[in-house]
Amino acid sequence: MASTTHTLTIPSSTRFLEDVREFVATHATDANFSKMSVEKLKMAVDEACTNVIEHAYEGQSEQPIDISIIVNKDKLTVLIRDKGRSFDRTDYEEPDLVQYAKSRKSGGFGVHIMKKLMDEVSYRTGGGVNECCLIKFRD
Amino acid sequence: MSNFSVGFRTSGSVQILDLHGELDAHTAAELEAAIQKCQQENQVRILINGSDLLYISSAGLGVFMAYIEEVRESGGDIKIAALQAKVFNVFDLLGFPMLFDIMESEEEAVEKFSEAKAE
């Protein structure tokens, strides 16, 4: 089946998150996804890239993050790849908001948000590359 | 160049923070600095006006989470008002209405602070 791919590479700094959101919004809108789906995609990709910056590259700001958007007839797939530390996302638990506030935690919602916003979220690591795959089907 | 800024206003004893632009992992530090400024000035009745807030990610939400207990322990609160629908949806998605007063208008939120004071 025919698909179209768009790619963007950013350095691992939060200052480029705005560019990532614009890149996702442009291509998801061009692919005729609804406004609501575009918002969800923007946010999920932002969270995935933020995790890479903070956890995979641990604050190093010049490492590459490759983002690919693949548009198919029935879905939009975003692949976020990095060569940083592979961190275990499988220990994810749904955060308890009240406990979070009590312990004054400020992070840890990223994966939770991604899973709420996307139809599929998966991770794999191989050959020194970590890949996060986000899938959103058409409404 | 940051696409986020915080404006400061007061209404009686309530400190209003007007959030403009997009709040993400890059700009969250500015909101954190604004809340710390309020605390340093003993302005702990903090009202967030989100009418010009165009986007929020978990990093922005995390700032509210990190400070709410501390602000409440000093007798204040962080109330949130006038959020755009798409931004409210993100707060709602994570169950924030359970933990924060989120009002439709700034007036309602100011009123709610007055009620709390009268009690």
Side-chain angles (χ1 to χ4, degrees):
Chain A
M1 193 168 63
S3 68
T4 316
T5 303
H6 309 276
T7 58
L8 172 74
T9 299
I10 59 156
S12 52
S13 163
T14 53
R15 77 177 60 170
F16 298 102
L17 290 172
E18 191 184 349
D19 299 331
V20 171
R21 294 195 297 271
E22 195 183 326
F23 170 70
V24 172
T26 299
H27 295 298
T29 304
D30 285 352
N32 293 317
F33 274 77
S34 67
K35 269 191 177 174
M36 179 70 91
S37 292
V38 172
E39 285 303 313
K40 289 180 176 178
L41 279 158
K42 264 168 63 178
M43 188 168 190
V45 179
D46 175 326
E47 299 293 347
C49 290
T50 301
N51 277 345
V52 170
I53 293 165
E54 292 179 354
H55 303 295
Y57 289 128
E58 300 176 288
Q60 299 174 69
S61 60
E62 299 296 333
Q63 301 300 314
I65 303 176
D66 297 318
I67 302 145
S68 304
I69 296 177
I70 303 148
V71 182
N72 289 103
K73 195 177 169 190
D74 62 333
K75 67 183 178 186
L76 190 149
T77 305
V78 187
L79 302 175
I80 298 109
R81 296 193 185 101
D82 69 80
K83 293 180 178 169
R85 188 171 68 93
S86 167
F87 62 99
D88 186 3
R89 289 97 166 173
T90 54
D91 60 355
Y92 156 84
E93 284 175 27
E94 189 154 327
D96 178 330
L97 216 55
V98 176
Q99 284 308 316
Y100 255 69
K102 285 213 168 100
S103 59
R104 284 148 216 220
K105 274 193 190 170
S106 65
F109 303 120
V111 176
H112 179 60
I113 287 183
M114 283 154 60
K115 292 199 171 191
K116 286 246 182 191
L117 298 176
M118 294 292 99
D119 294 312
E120 288 176 23
V121 179
S122 59
Y123 288 97
R124 62 179 181 180
T125 296
V129 176
N130 306 309
E131 182 183 89
C132 170
C133 174
L134 307 174
I135 296 177
K136 184 85 192 144
F137 291 101
R138 289 190 190 275
D139 296 330
Chain B
M1 184 60 184
S2 169
N3 56 348
F4 176 76
S5 65
V6 183
F8 293 83
R9 282 186 291 135
T10 52
S11 172
S13 63
V14 178
Q15 175 69 57
I16 300 169
L17 303 185
D18 290 304
L19 308 192
H20 302 271
E22 303 191 355
L23 190 48
D24 62 12
H26 191 59
T27 57
E30 289 183 52
L31 175 62
E32 194 164 3
I35 293 177
Q36 285 171 349
K37 182 174 184 285
C38 295
Q39 286 181 313
Q40 280 157 14
E41 294 169 0
N42 288 323
Q43 298 274 17
V44 287
R45 295 149 70 85
I46 301 168
L47 198 170
I48 304 291
N49 184 315
S51 58
D52 289 325
L53 181 65
L54 305 174
Y55 175 81
I56 189 163
S57 74
S58 70
L61 296 168
V63 176
F64 295 114
M65 294 296 293
Y67 285 92
I68 187 65
E69 282 290 314
E70 216 170 285
V71 168
R72 283 182 182 157
E73 276 169 14
S74 23
D77 197 13
I78 300 175
K79 297 188 195 294
I80 300 161
L83 293 174
Q84 296 188 9
K86 65 179 179 183
V87 175
F88 173 78
N89 288 341
V90 179
F91 279 85
D92 198 32
L93 186 75
L94 282 177
F96 267 57
M98 194 175 75
L99 204 63
F100 291 83
D101 279 332
I102 302 181
M103 328 294 287
E104 277 193 26
S105 71
E106 182 182 305
E107 292 72 25
E108 279 177 83
V110 170
E111 183 65 26
K112 189 108 183 181
F113 269 116
S114 315
E115 287 169 17
K117 201 178 183 182
E119 276 168 15

